[in-house]
Amino acid sequence: MDHIIRNILVFIMFAIIQNSARITNERGPKWFGIGIVRIANSVCTGLNGLEGTCYTRLQCRRADGFSSGGCAQNIGSCCVIQRTCGEQSSLNNTYFSNINFPTSVTSGGRCVMTVQKCNADICQIRIDFLSSTLAQPNAIGVCNSDSLVITGGAGPVPVLCGDNTGQHIYLDFNGNSSIDLITSTLDGLNIGRNWNYKVTQIACSCPTRAPAGCLMYYTALSGTVTSFNYGASTAINPATNLLGTRELVNENYGICVAMSPGYCSIEWSACSDSSFIVSDNDAALNPPRPLFGEDCDADFVVIPNPFFPNGTAAPSDRICGNRFPTVITYSKPFVLTVVTNGNETSTLGPDVGNVGFCLNYRQRLCTADTAIMR
């Protein structure tokens, strides 16, 4: 009899546990939604098109953000974080802009914005230049009027100026040190400047973290890359006295492409016949042509172990001139290195017309020609 009673009690307790689990599961989606808002803080897109973080409304107010629509089944608030000169943020997806952006800055001054880690698991940031318009460099490619200087990171970032809208960079934190974005403008210039940088924080174990040595990092199978301050401009290039942008001095950085599974090589080609002008572009280099190796002793790009499409090895991995030849490399990782010296005028070399480059890349499927992989 006792064992029958015990079995009945066990059955009743099991039924209660099952019923409790059923009730909990029925409530699960609602409570899970709140959990996402409070703990996961997932990325969301606001009504204004900007990326925010899914917070509770109280969290958003405490973060000094503004709500731009709902998230997590409208339980949470898509909180957009914006900061300006003299301010800081340790929150993911923070937008740093000039005061009263998009209104242009016409006066001189110094604007400092500070990025701090979200947490101890953060190793890197990505800075997207959603808008970045400063004065052009001078005749030797130096940012002597306006500049963007980024300090505090684990690696060097070149001094930037001119038109860099649409560019991006990756930068590792140096331990727990903060990273400063310092934009300086010169008074008395009759030009308008503005800037709006989106800063994304990247965890140490995140698969989208850029490898060491990669200032720029692309993950698509194909795309277009440009040097800093490349493209159309309404400013006068002081070296040529014409409208247009200008190559910047003292640069040494890597442009990396994440190798996709099933793809063994990468092809680099010019965006147009005039989209590569990197050293030795004076009238003496006629007809226009690429140069290699020792002929490139000032400014150049480096592509490891390049081959021409017909399978012939290129003369060198160092390329400059006023034309870019289509080349293919099987070397891993996929990286193009950019190097410029400290002077872009014709007084020390034929660099007066340097504008930089626009190049297309295309990853190539593994085929029978992988026998020449290096």
Side-chain angles (χ1 to χ4, degrees):
M1 180 65 68
D2 290 340
H3 72 277
I4 295 176
I5 295 174
R6 282 198 303 269
N7 288 340
I8 292 173
L9 290 174
V10 169
F11 177 81
I12 293 172
M13 290 177 63
F14 181 73
I16 293 173
I17 291 171
Q18 278 193 318
N19 187 57
S20 175
R22 179 183 61 79
I23 294 172
T24 300
N25 288 334
E26 288 175 352
R27 293 178 177 176
K30 180 177 179 181
W31 291 106
F32 182 64
I34 292 176
I36 289 177
V37 174
R38 295 179 56 196
I39 300 173
N41 300 142
S42 56
V43 176
C44 56
T45 301
L47 297 176
N48 55 6
L50 299 180
E51 282 194 352
T53 303
C54 198
Y55 285 151
T56 64
R57 286 162 180 79
L58 177 59
Q59 283 178 319
C60 189
R61 287 195 299 270
R62 288 176 174 173
D64 196 22
F66 69 89
S67 177
S68 182
C71 56
Q73 299 178 349
N74 284 324
I75 297 171
S77 171
C78 191
C79 187
V80 177
I81 308 298
Q82 291 187 312
R83 298 290 186 266
T84 189
C85 307
E87 298 181 345
Q88 62 185 25
S89 176
S90 60
L91 300 172
N92 195 19
N93 295 324
T94 296
Y95 294 84
F96 289 100
S97 59
N98 60 277
I99 296 174
N100 298 322
F101 178 85
T103 301
S104 294
V105 175
T106 56
S107 60
R110 189 170 183 266
C111 174
V112 181
M113 304 165 181
T114 300
V115 182
Q116 298 171 326
K117 282 187 174 184
C118 288
N119 55 61
D121 187 44
I122 297 296
C123 279
Q124 191 177 74
I125 61 172
R126 171 177 167 135
I127 305 175
D128 284 282
F129 301 142
L130 304 180
S131 178
S132 182
T133 303
L134 300 174
Q136 286 290 308
N138 65 9
I140 62 173
V142 174
C143 298
N144 66 326
S145 297
D146 297 350
S147 64
L148 169 63
V149 177
I150 301 176
T151 64
V157 179
V159 177
L160 302 178
C161 61
D163 295 334
N164 289 296
T165 298
Q167 294 283 24
H168 73 270
I169 67 170
Y170 286 81
L171 183 61
D172 285 343
F173 277 99
N174 186 8
N176 291 320
S177 299
S178 59
I179 296 173
D180 287 335
L181 284 63
I182 306 169
T183 306
S184 300
T185 56
L186 183 67
D187 204 3
L189 296 180
N190 188 26
I191 59 174
R193 307 90 148 187
N194 63 53
W195 55 91
N196 185 26
Y197 313 124
K198 177 191 172 190
V199 178
T200 305
Q201 304 212 14
I202 301 172
C204 302
S205 59
C206 184
T208 61
R209 180 183 175 186
C214 301
L215 190 65
M216 299 181 184
Y217 186 48
Y218 296 84
T219 58
L221 288 175
S222 62
T224 299
V225 302
T226 60
S227 54
F228 290 116
N229 193 38
Y230 178 89
S233 173
T234 58
I236 296 293
N237 182 331
T240 61
N241 203 34
L242 299 173
L243 291 178
T245 53
R246 183 88 177 106
E247 190 173 77
L248 303 180
V249 300
N250 297 323
E251 299 190 334
N252 190 333
Y253 62 91
I255 300 176
C256 303
V257 178
M259 186 179 69
S260 299
Y263 292 81
C264 291
S265 62
I266 187 169
E267 176 184 287
W268 294 93
S269 60
C271 297
S272 69
D273 284 344
S274 58
S275 71
F276 185 86
I277 304 179
V278 181
S279 275
D280 296 291
N281 56 64
D282 62 351
L285 193 60
N286 192 19
R289 61 190 183 274
L291 298 175
F292 297 88
E294 294 181 355
D295 289 329
C296 303
D297 58 359
D299 306 335
F300 49 86
V301 300
V302 176
I303 298 175
N305 203 20
F307 289 80
F308 296 126
N310 64 5
T312 303
S316 171
D317 61 1
R318 182 181 293 194
I319 306 172
C320 65
N322 55 5
R323 286 292 186 272
F324 185 85
T326 298
V327 294
I328 300 164
T329 179
Y330 298 84
S331 295
K332 315 297 188 305
F334 296 153
V335 59
L336 179 147
T337 303
V338 182
V339 178
T340 66
N341 68 350
N343 195 307
E344 298 302 307
T345 68
S346 58
T347 57
L348 297 179
D351 296 342
V352 66
N354 281 1
V355 299
F357 62 82
C358 173
L359 297 176
N360 294 320
Y361 74 85
R362 177 176 66 92
Q363 297 192 52
R364 293 159 45 100
L365 286 166
C366 299
T367 58
D369 64 358
T370 55
I372 62 172
M373 289 173 58
R374 299 293 189 270

